Amino acid sequence: MRLSDATLGQVRAPVRTPAYERGATTVGVVHFGPGAFHRAHQAWFFDRMLATDPGLAICAVSLRTPDLRDALQPQDGLYVLAEQDSDPALRVIGAIKAVLVAAEDLDRVFEALAHARYVTATVTEKGYCLTTDGALDLAHSDIRHDLDNPQQPVSVIGWITEALRRRKIAQGQPFTTISCDNLSDNGAKLKRAVVSFAEARGEPELAAWIAVRAAFPCSMVDSITPATDDALRAQVQTALGLTDAWPVQRERFVQWVIEDQLGAATATFAGAGVTIAAAVAPFERAKLRLLNGAHSTLAYVGLALGHDTVFTAMADPQLAGFIERLMRQDVAPSLDASDLDVPAYVTDILARFRNPAIVHRLSQIAWDGSQKLRFRLLETAAEALAAGRPVDRLAVGVAAWMAFVRRQAPDIVDPLAGQLTSVARAADGSAQDVDRFLALDTVFPSNLAADSPFRAAVVRAYLVLGDDPRAILNV
Ligand code: CS2
């Protein structure tokens, strides 16, 4: 039997069920990109908010693939979230009222956007279609498509712009858009992209209205969310006695910091555990550079050393020692210590990486490296160079990504897979490989690629990795 509204009553303690009347809730949030992270993170927060504000249920919109809709529609949007810890806790999340596929359901998505109070997005770094300067990439194929077909968008930028255009005409009130992706200054970048897109559409008045009226608060999101696997499906089936086609899991720790631009619902968000902050940048920088920077380095170096998960990689004392030095000696100096107790934050992150209840595959973190490096390691390296600090350890993750691409090609999960495969095909393990990678101007900002101390550090690390990967841990 399948989990659904009809069977929800059969779910027994200790599995928790929604603490509100689901039938009385209405959609107030449209979410783009309802992958596992959204369902384990923001949907859990909205589930808590629904107890005080029944108008904050979610209409989840997959931009392309029907998989999630097909899994959750027979379940009335219900699914299980497992918090994996020494004492796992399972709960049924009821916040998602509808799952739509944008490409198939244009009218229903626009209808939901016509009434939404909030639009949230987890479309990953690549979904923002930005250049390395953080501006909208007008040459991106999705953006070009949306400029030619503004009523049938495929990008989140095209969707938000057209929805705001319709709101301006119909009611003169925008919704608030919250980016929940791991990009520095995510809200500001999204707003700039949407305004640029409106301008490129030849709608200067709309662009000005969005610039002045629409809020795009920055947000920092954090919770380690391993992909769904068979072990999770079995755990859920045993606990519920019901089948859930697509449960999700995460660690117990969960954090959402949003810039103070939420309007009337601020107290509702805060009541559900969201941190409302005047400035999100300090939280965002610390998290992206320390947690995600360490994650990516751990993934590329760990895979080169034959490790499989974050837990096993952290059980390698030499690798764990390297990661800790990277965090404390190379990343921490780029953060403002007045905003945060950085040493304590590092200690907490390292403990989270060592959680034995979390099976987080390094290969999952390694995906989309071309999009992630900038926010996780390259911005930190550029600042370190400007401040005269060494970049040797920061360069290790970058070089290990290059070595990873070379080993993996052509099986690379990355929006630049084609280009990366060409670079990998020409690679011979020499310093020239590094130059070919650094020439990818959608990955490396030109000033960093041309910086000779940075290039030298990446070359050194790349050559050591090709020779004896373990020796890199002495850096
Ligand atoms: C990870 C993140 O997959 C990845 O690239 O670094 O998803 C990480 O687990 C989250 O950002 C933690 O909040």
Side-chain angles (χ1 to χ4, degrees):
M1 201 131 51
R2 195 85 176 257
L3 173 66
S4 69
D5 277 334
T7 58
L8 186 59
Q10 296 174 30
V11 176
R12 301 267 172 264
V15 180
R16 309 261 288 267
T17 52
Y20 49 85
E21 178 52 57
R22 258 199 117 207
T25 62
T26 52
V27 168
V29 180
V30 173
H31 180 82
F32 286 102
F37 186 75
H38 165 69
R39 294 193 292 130
H41 185 277
Q42 302 102 60
W44 175 83
F45 280 100
F46 284 115
D47 200 58
R48 287 158 70 99
M49 292 184 219
L50 284 168
T52 52
D53 184 345
L56 285 174
I58 301 167
C59 170
V61 180
S62 300
L63 283 169
R64 286 164 217 237
T65 52
D67 316 21
L68 185 71
R69 190 234 2 237
D70 296 348
L72 292 199
Q73 216 164 50
Q75 301 180 184
D76 304 310
L78 295 172
Y79 63 92
V80 173
L81 166 64
E83 284 180 9
Q84 308 291 22
D85 211 88
S86 49
D87 58 336
L90 271 58
R91 71 172 66 228
V92 178
I93 301 289
I96 297 185
K97 284 274 276 208
V99 189
L100 303 176
V101 180
E104 294 174 26
D105 266 316
L106 281 174
D107 293 344
R108 288 180 67 199
V109 177
F110 277 124
E111 175 60 20
L113 287 162
H115 304 291
R117 293 154 67 190
Y118 297 96
V119 170
T120 52
T122 46
V123 291
T124 78
E125 297 84 346
K126 60 179 173 281
Y128 292 78
C129 310
L130 302 177
T131 63
T132 50
D133 303 333
L136 182 66
D137 180 2
L138 289 165
H140 192 290
S141 57
D142 288 355
I143 298 300
R144 291 215 317 264
H145 171 279
D146 290 359
L147 285 172
D148 291 342
N149 307 274
Q151 310 298 326
Q152 281 136 16
V154 294
S155 74
V156 78
I157 309 297
W159 270 104
I160 292 171
T161 311
E162 176 57 17
L164 285 170
R165 193 186 69 82
R166 295 183 185 199
R167 291 278 286 242
K168 178 173 180 284
I169 294 167
Q171 17 173 315
Q173 285 293 339
F175 43 72
T176 293
T177 307
I178 312 172
S179 164
C180 305
D181 280 295
N182 286 319
L183 271 68
S184 53
D185 280 331
N186 53 12
K189 281 186 179 136
L190 180 54
K191 180 169 189 168
R192 187 170 157 207
V194 168
V195 169
S196 304
F197 185 78
E199 279 162 0
R201 271 185 64 177
E203 300 259 8
E205 257 184 57
L206 173 65
W209 182 78
I210 295 171
V212 174
R213 299 285 304 280
F216 287 75
C218 284
S219 94
M220 180 272 245
V221 292
D222 191 9
S223 191
I224 290 171
T225 307
T228 301
D229 53 13
D230 288 343
L232 173 65
R233 288 200 181 85
Q235 179 188 15
V236 168
Q237 176 83 39
T238 307
L240 266 71
L242 297 169
T243 303
D244 176 352
W246 207 335
V248 293
Q249 58 186 339
R250 63 160 160 79
E251 64 180 332
R252 183 147 294 150
F253 177 90
V254 57
Q255 190 179 20
W256 194 7
V257 184
I258 309 180
E259 197 177 347
D260 190 3
Q261 293 182 16
L262 290 173
T266 303
T268 309
F269 278 76
V274 175
T275 304
I276 310 294
V280 172
F283 293 94
E284 201 174 50
R285 282 161 68 101
K287 190 263 171 171
L288 278 171
R289 294 177 178 200
L290 285 170
L291 189 151
N292 296 112
H295 246 177
S296 289
T297 306
L298 200 56
Y300 300 124
V301 178
L303 288 167
L305 292 170
H307 296 300
D308 187 23
T309 67
V310 172
F311 179 78
T312 58
M314 290 298 292
D316 175 336
Q318 276 179 301
L319 178 52
F322 174 84
I323 293 293
E324 183 161 358
R325 287 198 300 282
L326 171 77
M327 293 169 85
R328 294 198 193 276
Q329 295 176 29
D330 303 290
V331 182
S334 78
L335 303 171
D336 186 345
S338 63
D339 293 318
L340 182 76
D341 180 347
V342 177
Y345 188 52
V346 171
T347 302
D348 289 348
I349 292 171
L350 290 168
R352 290 167 61 195
F353 287 176
R354 291 193 165 101
N355 182 350
I358 295 287
V359 183
H360 196 187
R361 306 228 163 264
L362 297 175
S363 56
Q364 180 185 337
I365 300 167
W367 295 344
D368 283 359
S370 73
Q371 310 294 303
K372 293 174 173 174
L373 288 182
R374 192 183 326 154
F375 309 112
R376 299 177 175 211
L377 294 169
L378 303 181
E379 289 178 356
T380 319
E383 284 179 26
L385 288 163
R389 290 192 300 268
V391 290
D392 300 274
R393 270 186 293 262
L394 291 163
V396 167
V398 179
W401 168 71
M402 295 172 179
F404 167 81
V405 168
R406 183 178 174 214
R407 281 198 313 279
Q408 285 294 120
D411 298 321
I412 305 168
V413 181
D414 194 293
L416 298 190
Q419 274 174 280
L420 294 177
T421 300
S422 312
V423 174
R425 284 223 173 94
D428 59 6
S430 71
Q432 277 183 349
D433 299 1
V434 171
D435 290 324
R436 288 197 193 95
F437 278 109
L438 289 178
L440 294 167
D441 59 4
T442 46
V443 181
F444 295 96
S446 51
N447 53 347
L448 188 62
D451 185 283
S452 69
F454 178 71
R455 176 190 173 272
V458 179
V459 167
R460 267 195 309 277
Y462 185 79
L463 296 178
V464 172
L465 281 162
D467 197 34
D468 172 11
R470 190 155 283 277
I472 201 70
L473 304 179
N474 299 325
V475 174

